[in-house]
Structure formats: structure tokens, C-alpha cells
Amino acid sequence: MSEAEDRKPRSDEARAAYDPEITSEFAIPEGLAVARTSGESETTSEFSVPRGLEGAQPEAEPEGSAFNMPPTYSVKDAPSAFTPAAGVPMITLITDAPWQDRMRTMLRMPVAERPALEPVVRAEDEGPAVPRVLDLTLRIGELLLAGGEGAEDVEAAMFAVCRSYGLDRCEPTVTFTLLSITHQPSLVEDPVTASRTVRRRGTDYTRLAAVFRLVDDLTDAEAHVSLEEAYGRLAEMRRNRHPYPGWALTLAGGLLAGAASVLVGGDVIVFIAAALGAMLGDRLAWLCAGRGLPEFYQFTVAAMPPAAIGVAFSLAHVDVKASAVITGGLFALLPGRALVAGVQDGLTGFYITAAARLLEVMYFFVGIVIGVLTILYFGVQIGGQLNPDAALNISSRPVVQILASMVLSLTFAVLLQQERSTVLWVTLNGGVAWSVYGALHYTAGISPVASTAVAAGLVGLFGQLLSRYQFASALPFTTAAIGPLLPGSATYFGLLSIAQSEVDKGLVSLAKAVSLAMAIAIGVNLGAEISRLTLRIGSAGKRRAAKRTRGF
């Protein structure tokens, strides 16, 4: 080995130190006096305070609740509160008003403006169990919603039950098939939510009235109804049988159809034929229900016998009004109760429930249309002489038609399973409705839609007054009373025109039937709202209306 090779460094560090031109890019330049530290450099966060910055580092904020005041908040620096020029209205509720009005008033208020609940002393030593109170509330709401009550009235009843047991912060929610309620004990505690599904619906206004009496007793401060008593009364309501047997319902359906046929100009033969057709259709519908068929097919089958009897009279050239027979049969099937409830939900802001109810009405109506159109089509094909331009003679017998309207309302009340004490009132209300309609339309010459709306408004007004007098639901006093106003003749003539290939004329007649139905529903709701405005209701003045969205 040569002497030069012996002087050559054996490693890269030695080579770099030996050769001054070979240096690392991280090496410290010569002549720079920097204190060297032993070990690796300290790793710090980019949010740490730089070295050399004077001042003490602030202490970390303690972890707290989201409802705690911010550490920088002070009363001195708080923004000034805005007070309207007219002042802040004082919220007062009239204690002697019906519980429906008080609860509906509170539900229509913003949550922050509802008056605080006064302490309620109950028989229970440790207070009510929140889950059981919520379960009782849902069961009561289920019976009301299944019985056809409007969504706002169901929420008012649920709200009243919760407040009667001392649960203040409760928010009930009602849709077409789902009930839910949420209770939050305080602002820092977790809310408790319970829900219940409505799967079966049935028309029994006697049970509906019993539920309203239970809610009225629960809201009474002097009644002191315990949870066990409320559960016992609720179970008794479910066990009770309907007040009218099946044969009475079938007979009532026949009398309803016969009275409706007389209402549109029929005679004794037409009365008997319409009654027989309606009773036969009712029995066929019961048979389909026993087989488990949906209500759509039940309505389709029930609409066929009256139409078949009318076509048979036309084929036999019997000198009777076949159109009156078919029209009377349709009166017993038109879903007036569901229509009124659907429009009422829409007018009070429950749009999802209103859309579901109106969709249900549309399905029932389509079922009736299919059943009648099937019979009319085959009747026209085999030579039946049915004239869609035939005018029904309605205005020539006012006394007979008023009596027929009262019979129609009475039988409708029986079909709705109403209490016997309410049948007389709803019968008189139906007679008043037809008298007002006849006076406006046939005597004063006002359009049928406007006349129907005014008559339905009086029905809603009187029904609301009667319900307040008895502290009950308004449905038993209004639903059966609108029976004489249902658009049976317009529906029949529209279907007959479509069966005879006159589609344009048929659609015009069906559009008239829809307009009359909407006039009935809006009139009933408007009459009820007028009664609430004219009577003393505890509230913060007028009801606040929702602001228009103006397209956004």
C-alpha cells in the first residue's frame, strides 16, 4: 500500500472532515457561534407559544356543558334587548274555557312563549312515571286518530294529558299513521321519546265521545284521576261493543240511500229500490271484509248493486227515475267524513296528514267509480236508456226533501255509531243544512258551490257550539249533518257521461262534484273557526299566521 493511500480516510465523516469542499447541507457554517444541544431536537405543536414571547401562557379552559355561559360573557358587555313598541303581550289562559281551546291555543304559540305549568298535586307519592304517562297519552291519541279526529285536535288532547300529569316540556307529533311524543325534563337532560303506529281504523263515535270525557276528567284539577284509573277506563272503552248491531247498520244504510233518492226527486218505488240496492251492497262489502279484502275493493263491490238496479229499471222500461236510484246508492258510499278531516288538516297546517287523508279519499272514490262504471258500461252496451242530461226535480217538494234530509242525517249518525243522545241534535242540524242550501240555490239563484259552502259553514258553527255545550268532540255533530250536501248526483252524471263516451262532459260534472266536496269541507272548518273567534278563548290576542314563503 502506498503512502498516499494510507493517509486517505476510511469513512465518509472522516472524508468530509479531510476534504473541506465536501460538507452536509444541514451542517453549521464555520465561525457561527451556536450553542450545541445534546440529543434530538424537541418537537412542538404549531399552535404552541413561540419562545421568547413575553407574557404568561393562558390556562386551558375547563371542559363544561354546552349550556354554560361563555367565559367572556359579562352583563356589562351584553347586547341590549329589543322590546317592541307595543310592549310584550302577557300570555293568559282562561281557566274555565274548554280544554280543547286552551290546549289548541298553547299548541299554536311558539314554544318560548307558552306559559309555565303550575305544580299539580297527584295521588302518587313520588310523582307520575314518565314512560307510563307517555304510553297513556299515545293510547288516547291512537283512539282519537283512528276514530277520524283531526290531527290538531289529537295533538291538543295528547298535550292536555301530558300537562295534567305535570309533564310540561312535551311536544306531540301526529301524522296519518304515526303518533309520537317527546318529553324533555330539563335543558340539560336527555329527552324521552315514545311512538305508536295506528294500523286499524274504525268509525265509532260513541268510543270517541268516551275518550273525550276521559281527557276532560284528566284536565279537571278537582277530578284527580290516577294513572291506574285512566288505564282502566281506557281498557273498558276498548272492550265495549258498538251501540248498534250489524243488522241495524245495514238497515240504516238502506234507509240512507232511500232518503237520498227522495232528496233528488224519487218516489216510493225509487225509495224501495235504492234501499234494497244499498243493503245488498252493504252485505257484499261485509262479505269482502270478512275475506280480508282491502277497503278499495269493498267500495267497488258495494257500488255495483244500486247501479245494477237502476240499469235493470231502464232495461225493463219501468217509468221510474233510474238516475235517482243510482244517486241514492252513491250517497251511502261517498267518504264525506275522511274528506272533511283531510281538508281540515290541510287548513290547520298538517300537510302530510292532509295529503294522506285526501289520497285515501281518492282511492275510495276511484273504487266507487270503477264499480259504477262497470255496471253502467255493460248496461249501455245492452241497450239501457240512461240520459246524462236528465235534470233531477229537487226544488218542487221542499217539505218532503227537508224531511228526507233529516232522515238521511239520522241514518248517517247510526252508521257512524253515535251516541243516542246526539242523534236528535245532528238530525236537526242536517235539516237546517238542507233548508239553507235550498233557500240559497233554488230560491235565491246562488251557485250550488257557494250555497253548499254557506250551508256547511252553518253545520260547522252549530256543531262546534253543541260540542262546547257538552264538552265533547265536534265530529258527531257535524259529520252526519253534511250528508244531504254530498255531491251524489254530480258524481253519478259524470260517471254516466264517461260510460257513454262523452268524456269532456263527464270530467266537467266530476269537477263540479269535487268543487262541492271541497266547499263542504272548507265550510265546516270555517264555521268552526268562526265559533272559536266569537267565543271567549284564552290566548295572546289573535292567532299568529304563518308567513308566506314567497317562492323561497
Side-chain angles (χ1 to χ4, degrees):
M1 181 181 297
S2 62
E3 183 179 356
E5 290 178 354
D6 290 339
R7 292 195 303 267
K8 186 176 181 180
R10 302 298 182 180
S11 62
D12 295 337
E13 291 80 1
R15 187 184 306 112
Y18 178 78
D19 191 356
E21 295 181 359
I22 303 177
T23 59
S24 172
E25 58 183 4
F26 299 101
I28 300 175
E30 296 181 0
L32 183 61
V34 178
R36 296 185 178 272
T37 58
S38 60
E40 297 181 356
S41 60
E42 182 181 359
T43 304
T44 58
S45 172
E46 58 183 1
F47 298 102
S48 60
V49 182
R51 295 179 180 177
L53 183 62
E54 297 180 355
Q57 185 176 354
E59 298 181 357
E61 296 181 2
E63 184 178 358
S65 172
F67 298 97
N68 292 343
M69 283 293 183
T72 58
Y73 178 83
S74 63
V75 179
K76 184 187 301 184
D77 300 331
S80 58
F82 173 76
T83 303
V88 179
M90 183 177 63
I91 310 299
T92 57
L93 293 176
I94 301 177
T95 57
D96 57 349
W99 64 265
Q100 298 98 315
D101 293 338
R102 290 185 281 115
M103 297 303 108
R104 187 182 293 109
T105 301
M106 295 191 66
L107 283 175
R108 291 177 176 180
M109 290 181 186
V111 179
E113 296 183 6
R114 292 176 183 172
L117 179 65
E118 297 181 359
V120 179
V121 180
R122 289 290 176 183
E124 294 83 353
D125 296 334
E126 298 179 357
V130 173
R132 296 198 67 196
V133 173
L134 298 184
D135 179 70
L136 176 67
T137 303
L138 290 174
R139 291 179 183 274
I140 290 177
E142 178 190 9
L143 289 180
L144 294 176
L145 187 62
E149 193 65 67
E152 186 179 34
D153 294 327
V154 176
E155 284 196 358
M158 295 172 64
F159 195 70
V161 173
C162 287
R163 288 181 67 87
S164 65
Y165 285 103
L167 303 186
D168 187 12
R169 299 180 182 88
C170 287
E171 284 298 327
T173 304
V174 176
T175 59
F176 185 60
T177 57
L178 183 64
L179 296 161
S180 65
I181 186 166
T182 301
H183 168 65
Q184 190 171 11
S186 64
L187 293 177
V188 296
E189 295 184 64
D190 296 333
V192 180
T193 302
S195 62
R196 193 172 183 87
T197 303
V198 180
R199 301 188 183 278
R200 296 188 60 185
R201 300 178 183 274
T203 304
D204 189 346
Y205 282 2
T206 300
R207 181 181 296 172
L208 191 70
V211 176
F212 263 77
R213 283 193 293 269
L214 173 59
V215 178
D216 186 52
D217 292 340
L218 289 174
T219 55
D220 189 0
E222 300 179 357
H224 298 292
V225 180
S226 64
L227 277 174
E228 298 300 331
E229 294 177 17
Y231 268 108
R233 292 176 59 176
L234 203 61
E236 185 179 356
M237 294 175 198
R238 290 180 176 274
R239 288 194 301 264
N240 285 345
R241 298 176 60 89
H242 298 304
Y244 306 102
W247 64 267
L249 298 180
T250 302
L251 181 61
L255 292 176
L256 189 152
S261 64
V262 174
L263 195 65
V264 295
D267 52 12
V268 178
I269 299 178
V270 171
F271 178 90
I272 297 175
L276 290 176
M279 287 189 290
L280 180 58
D282 181 75
R283 288 293 92 190
L284 290 176
W286 276 102
L287 181 61
C288 294
R291 301 293 181 181
L293 290 177
E295 286 185 295
F296 176 84
Y297 301 104
Q298 298 176 27
F299 274 83
T300 302
V301 172
M304 289 183 176
I309 293 178
V311 172
F313 279 152
S314 178
L315 292 174
H317 302 287
V318 180
D319 189 16
V320 296
K321 290 185 177 181
S323 58
V325 176
I326 302 175
T327 301
L330 291 178
F331 265 86
L333 298 175
L334 293 177
R337 173 182 59 88
L339 176 66
V340 172
V343 175
Q344 179 181 357
D345 289 340
L347 294 176
T348 53
F350 295 84
Y351 300 113
I352 297 178
T353 308
R357 288 187 189 271
L358 295 178
L359 187 62
E360 181 188 37
V361 171
M362 187 194 72
Y363 271 101
F364 291 163
F365 190 76
V366 169
I368 297 171
V369 168
I370 292 176
V372 176
L373 271 181
T374 302
I375 301 299
L376 292 181
Y377 178 78
F378 286 106
V380 171
Q381 295 300 318
I382 62 180
Q385 300 297 323
L386 298 171
N387 185 12
D389 296 327
L392 296 176
N393 188 12
I394 302 176
S395 60
S396 61
R397 301 177 300 172
V399 177
V400 175
Q401 270 101 30
I402 290 176
L403 294 177
S405 65
M406 295 177 68
V407 173
L408 193 153
S409 299
L410 187 148
T411 53
F412 203 174
V414 173
L415 288 176
L416 294 174
Q417 302 280 1
Q418 291 190 197
E419 292 180 308
R420 292 177 174 85
S421 60
T422 63
V423 171
L424 177 61
W425 294 108
V426 75
T427 301
L428 296 176
N429 203 6
V432 170
W434 180 259
S435 301
V436 172
Y437 172 79
L440 293 176
H441 179 54
Y442 298 107
T443 304
I446 301 177
S447 66
V449 176
S451 303
T452 301
V454 174
L458 289 179
V459 168
L461 177 61
F462 293 155
Q464 194 66 227
L465 294 177
L466 290 173
S467 68
R468 289 169 180 271
Y469 175 73
Q470 298 189 4
F471 290 90
S473 172
L475 284 181
F477 301 100
T478 57
T479 304
I482 64 172
L485 303 176
L486 293 176
S489 58
T491 303
Y492 162 69
F493 286 123
L495 299 180
L496 180 58
S497 299
I498 294 176
Q500 294 181 346
S501 300
E502 298 180 0
V503 180
D504 295 339
K505 186 183 296 184
L507 292 179
V508 170
S509 185
L510 290 179
K512 178 182 177 182
V514 173
S515 301
L516 292 173
M518 294 295 293
I520 292 173
I522 295 176
V524 170
N525 181 264
L526 182 61
E529 292 292 337
I530 290 175
S531 67
R532 297 191 187 105
L533 291 176
T534 54
L535 296 179
R536 293 176 68 246
I537 303 175
S539 63
K542 298 182 180 179
R543 174 187 175 184
R544 294 186 176 182
K547 296 181 180 179
R548 289 186 58 191
T549 57
R550 300 187 183 275
F552 54 86

PDB file of all heavy atoms in Angstrom, residues 270-288:
ATOM      1  N   VAL A 270    -138.774   4.278  -6.115  1.00  0.00           N
ATOM      2  CA  VAL A 270    -137.355   4.601  -6.135  1.00  0.00           C
ATOM      3  C   VAL A 270    -136.759   4.452  -4.735  1.00  0.00           C
ATOM      4  O   VAL A 270    -135.633   3.954  -4.564  1.00  0.00           O
ATOM      5  CB  VAL A 270    -137.144   6.024  -6.684  1.00  0.00           C
ATOM      6  CG1 VAL A 270    -135.703   6.455  -6.519  1.00  0.00           C
ATOM      7  CG2 VAL A 270    -137.553   6.090  -8.142  1.00  0.00           C
ATOM      8  N   PHE A 271    -137.504   4.849  -3.711  1.00  0.00           N
ATOM      9  CA  PHE A 271    -137.037   4.714  -2.331  1.00  0.00           C
ATOM     10  C   PHE A 271    -136.760   3.254  -1.994  1.00  0.00           C
ATOM     11  O   PHE A 271    -135.702   2.914  -1.451  1.00  0.00           O
ATOM     12  CB  PHE A 271    -138.093   5.289  -1.386  1.00  0.00           C
ATOM     13  CG  PHE A 271    -137.754   5.164   0.068  1.00  0.00           C
ATOM     14  CD1 PHE A 271    -137.058   6.160   0.725  1.00  0.00           C
ATOM     15  CD2 PHE A 271    -138.121   4.036   0.788  1.00  0.00           C
ATOM     16  CE1 PHE A 271    -136.741   6.048   2.066  1.00  0.00           C
ATOM     17  CE2 PHE A 271    -137.805   3.902   2.128  1.00  0.00           C
ATOM     18  CZ  PHE A 271    -137.120   4.919   2.766  1.00  0.00           C
ATOM     19  N   ILE A 272    -137.700   2.377  -2.336  1.00  0.00           N
ATOM     20  CA  ILE A 272    -137.534   0.955  -2.020  1.00  0.00           C
ATOM     21  C   ILE A 272    -136.379   0.354  -2.816  1.00  0.00           C
ATOM     22  O   ILE A 272    -135.558  -0.413  -2.282  1.00  0.00           O
ATOM     23  CB  ILE A 272    -138.843   0.197  -2.294  1.00  0.00           C
ATOM     24  CG1 ILE A 272    -139.948   0.732  -1.362  1.00  0.00           C
ATOM     25  CG2 ILE A 272    -138.656  -1.298  -2.096  1.00  0.00           C
ATOM     26  CD1 ILE A 272    -141.310   0.135  -1.649  1.00  0.00           C
ATOM     27  N   ALA A 273    -136.290   0.717  -4.102  1.00  0.00           N
ATOM     28  CA  ALA A 273    -135.229   0.156  -4.946  1.00  0.00           C
ATOM     29  C   ALA A 273    -133.847   0.607  -4.470  1.00  0.00           C
ATOM     30  O   ALA A 273    -132.899  -0.201  -4.390  1.00  0.00           O
ATOM     31  CB  ALA A 273    -135.453   0.579  -6.396  1.00  0.00           C
ATOM     32  N   ALA A 274    -133.714   1.895  -4.139  1.00  0.00           N
ATOM     33  CA  ALA A 274    -132.420   2.390  -3.661  1.00  0.00           C
ATOM     34  C   ALA A 274    -132.053   1.754  -2.319  1.00  0.00           C
ATOM     35  O   ALA A 274    -130.882   1.427  -2.076  1.00  0.00           O
ATOM     36  CB  ALA A 274    -132.461   3.909  -3.535  1.00  0.00           C
ATOM     37  N   ALA A 275    -133.044   1.557  -1.444  1.00  0.00           N
ATOM     38  CA  ALA A 275    -132.765   0.935  -0.147  1.00  0.00           C
ATOM     39  C   ALA A 275    -132.311  -0.509  -0.328  1.00  0.00           C
ATOM     40  O   ALA A 275    -131.350  -0.953   0.319  1.00  0.00           O
ATOM     41  CB  ALA A 275    -134.000   1.013   0.739  1.00  0.00           C
ATOM     42  N   LEU A 276    -132.986  -1.252  -1.203  1.00  0.00           N
ATOM     43  CA  LEU A 276    -132.586  -2.643  -1.441  1.00  0.00           C
ATOM     44  C   LEU A 276    -131.181  -2.727  -2.042  1.00  0.00           C
ATOM     45  O   LEU A 276    -130.377  -3.581  -1.663  1.00  0.00           O
ATOM     46  CB  LEU A 276    -133.604  -3.330  -2.358  1.00  0.00           C
ATOM     47  CG  LEU A 276    -134.986  -3.601  -1.753  1.00  0.00           C
ATOM     48  CD1 LEU A 276    -135.916  -4.203  -2.809  1.00  0.00           C
ATOM     49  CD2 LEU A 276    -134.871  -4.523  -0.541  1.00  0.00           C
ATOM     50  N   GLY A 277    -130.896  -1.859  -3.002  1.00  0.00           N
ATOM     51  CA  GLY A 277    -129.565  -1.857  -3.610  1.00  0.00           C
ATOM     52  C   GLY A 277    -128.470  -1.533  -2.606  1.00  0.00           C
ATOM     53  O   GLY A 277    -127.404  -2.166  -2.593  1.00  0.00           O
ATOM     54  N   ALA A 278    -128.712  -0.546  -1.737  1.00  0.00           N
ATOM     55  CA  ALA A 278    -127.705  -0.179  -0.747  1.00  0.00           C
ATOM     56  C   ALA A 278    -127.500  -1.295   0.279  1.00  0.00           C
ATOM     57  O   ALA A 278    -126.361  -1.587   0.683  1.00  0.00           O
ATOM     58  CB  ALA A 278    -128.108   1.115  -0.050  1.00  0.00           C
ATOM     59  N   MET A 279    -128.597  -1.957   0.710  1.00  0.00           N
ATOM     60  CA  MET A 279    -128.451  -3.036   1.687  1.00  0.00           C
ATOM     61  C   MET A 279    -127.725  -4.238   1.077  1.00  0.00           C
ATOM     62  O   MET A 279    -126.901  -4.875   1.747  1.00  0.00           O
ATOM     63  CB  MET A 279    -129.823  -3.444   2.219  1.00  0.00           C
ATOM     64  CG  MET A 279    -130.428  -2.413   3.163  1.00  0.00           C
ATOM     65  SD  MET A 279    -131.925  -3.000   4.013  1.00  0.00           S
ATOM     66  CE  MET A 279    -133.070  -3.040   2.645  1.00  0.00           C
ATOM     67  N   LEU A 280    -128.018  -4.539  -0.185  1.00  0.00           N
ATOM     68  CA  LEU A 280    -127.304  -5.627  -0.844  1.00  0.00           C
ATOM     69  C   LEU A 280    -125.821  -5.294  -0.994  1.00  0.00           C
ATOM     70  O   LEU A 280    -124.952  -6.150  -0.754  1.00  0.00           O
ATOM     71  CB  LEU A 280    -127.933  -5.899  -2.210  1.00  0.00           C
ATOM     72  CG  LEU A 280    -127.299  -7.031  -3.045  1.00  0.00           C
ATOM     73  CD1 LEU A 280    -127.332  -8.348  -2.287  1.00  0.00           C
ATOM     74  CD2 LEU A 280    -128.002  -7.152  -4.393  1.00  0.00           C
ATOM     75  N   GLY A 281    -125.516  -4.062  -1.367  1.00  0.00           N
ATOM     76  CA  GLY A 281    -124.117  -3.654  -1.465  1.00  0.00           C
ATOM     77  C   GLY A 281    -123.407  -3.689  -0.118  1.00  0.00           C
ATOM     78  O   GLY A 281    -122.235  -4.063  -0.038  1.00  0.00           O
ATOM     79  N   ASP A 282    -124.123  -3.323   0.967  1.00  0.00           N
ATOM     80  CA  ASP A 282    -123.523  -3.372   2.295  1.00  0.00           C
ATOM     81  C   ASP A 282    -123.188  -4.802   2.703  1.00  0.00           C
ATOM     82  O   ASP A 282    -122.116  -5.068   3.256  1.00  0.00           O
ATOM     83  CB  ASP A 282    -124.478  -2.747   3.307  1.00  0.00           C
ATOM     84  CG  ASP A 282    -123.907  -2.734   4.709  1.00  0.00           C
ATOM     85  OD1 ASP A 282    -123.022  -1.907   4.977  1.00  0.00           O
ATOM     86  OD2 ASP A 282    -124.341  -3.573   5.533  1.00  0.00           O
ATOM     87  N   ARG A 283    -124.086  -5.747   2.415  1.00  0.00           N
ATOM     88  CA  ARG A 283    -123.815  -7.151   2.749  1.00  0.00           C
ATOM     89  C   ARG A 283    -122.640  -7.698   1.943  1.00  0.00           C
ATOM     90  O   ARG A 283    -121.814  -8.461   2.455  1.00  0.00           O
ATOM     91  CB  ARG A 283    -125.064  -7.988   2.498  1.00  0.00           C
ATOM     92  CG  ARG A 283    -126.192  -7.777   3.494  1.00  0.00           C
ATOM     93  CD  ARG A 283    -125.815  -8.286   4.884  1.00  0.00           C
ATOM     94  NE  ARG A 283    -125.212  -7.244   5.727  1.00  0.00           N
ATOM     95  CZ  ARG A 283    -124.632  -7.490   6.891  1.00  0.00           C
ATOM     96  NH1 ARG A 283    -124.514  -8.728   7.346  1.00  0.00           N
ATOM     97  NH2 ARG A 283    -124.108  -6.511   7.592  1.00  0.00           N
ATOM     98  N   LEU A 284    -122.558  -7.311   0.668  1.00  0.00           N
ATOM     99  CA  LEU A 284    -121.422  -7.761  -0.137  1.00  0.00           C
ATOM    100  C   LEU A 284    -120.109  -7.174   0.387  1.00  0.00           C
ATOM    101  O   LEU A 284    -119.075  -7.857   0.393  1.00  0.00           O
ATOM    102  CB  LEU A 284    -121.631  -7.363  -1.606  1.00  0.00           C
ATOM    103  CG  LEU A 284    -122.740  -8.113  -2.362  1.00  0.00           C
ATOM    104  CD1 LEU A 284    -122.892  -7.545  -3.769  1.00  0.00           C
ATOM    105  CD2 LEU A 284    -122.441  -9.605  -2.414  1.00  0.00           C
ATOM    106  N   ALA A 285    -120.164  -5.929   0.826  1.00  0.00           N
ATOM    107  CA  ALA A 285    -118.951  -5.318   1.394  1.00  0.00           C
ATOM    108  C   ALA A 285    -118.547  -6.017   2.686  1.00  0.00           C
ATOM    109  O   ALA A 285    -117.355  -6.239   2.928  1.00  0.00           O
ATOM    110  CB  ALA A 285    -119.191  -3.826   1.644  1.00  0.00           C
ATOM    111  N   TRP A 286    -119.500  -6.393   3.536  1.00  0.00           N
ATOM    112  CA  TRP A 286    -119.183  -7.148   4.746  1.00  0.00           C
ATOM    113  C   TRP A 286    -118.578  -8.497   4.401  1.00  0.00           C
ATOM    114  O   TRP A 286    -117.663  -8.978   5.087  1.00  0.00           O
ATOM    115  CB  TRP A 286    -120.458  -7.340   5.578  1.00  0.00           C
ATOM    116  CG  TRP A 286    -120.780  -6.192   6.467  1.00  0.00           C
ATOM    117  CD1 TRP A 286    -121.719  -5.221   6.249  1.00  0.00           C
ATOM    118  CD2 TRP A 286    -120.175  -5.868   7.725  1.00  0.00           C
ATOM    119  NE1 TRP A 286    -121.729  -4.323   7.275  1.00  0.00           N
ATOM    120  CE2 TRP A 286    -120.796  -4.701   8.206  1.00  0.00           C
ATOM    121  CE3 TRP A 286    -119.175  -6.454   8.485  1.00  0.00           C
ATOM    122  CZ2 TRP A 286    -120.454  -4.100   9.412  1.00  0.00           C
ATOM    123  CZ3 TRP A 286    -118.823  -5.864   9.693  1.00  0.00           C
ATOM    124  CH2 TRP A 286    -119.448  -4.700  10.146  1.00  0.00           C
ATOM    125  N   LEU A 287    -119.077  -9.123   3.356  1.00  0.00           N
ATOM    126  CA  LEU A 287    -118.508 -10.401   2.935  1.00  0.00           C
ATOM    127  C   LEU A 287    -117.054 -10.236   2.500  1.00  0.00           C
ATOM    128  O   LEU A 287    -116.190 -11.060   2.849  1.00  0.00           O
ATOM    129  CB  LEU A 287    -119.348 -10.990   1.807  1.00  0.00           C
ATOM    130  CG  LEU A 287    -118.904 -12.346   1.249  1.00  0.00           C
ATOM    131  CD1 LEU A 287    -118.952 -13.416   2.344  1.00  0.00           C
ATOM    132  CD2 LEU A 287    -119.781 -12.755   0.065  1.00  0.00           C
ATOM    133  N   CYS A 288    -116.777  -9.176   1.743  1.00  0.00           N
ATOM    134  CA  CYS A 288    -115.397  -8.922   1.308  1.00  0.00           C
ATOM    135  C   CYS A 288    -114.493  -8.591   2.501  1.00  0.00           C
ATOM    136  O   CYS A 288    -113.322  -8.999   2.542  1.00  0.00           O
ATOM    137  CB  CYS A 288    -115.372  -7.783   0.299  1.00  0.00           C
ATOM    138  SG  CYS A 288    -116.199  -8.151  -1.276  1.00  0.00           S
TER     139      CYS A 288
END
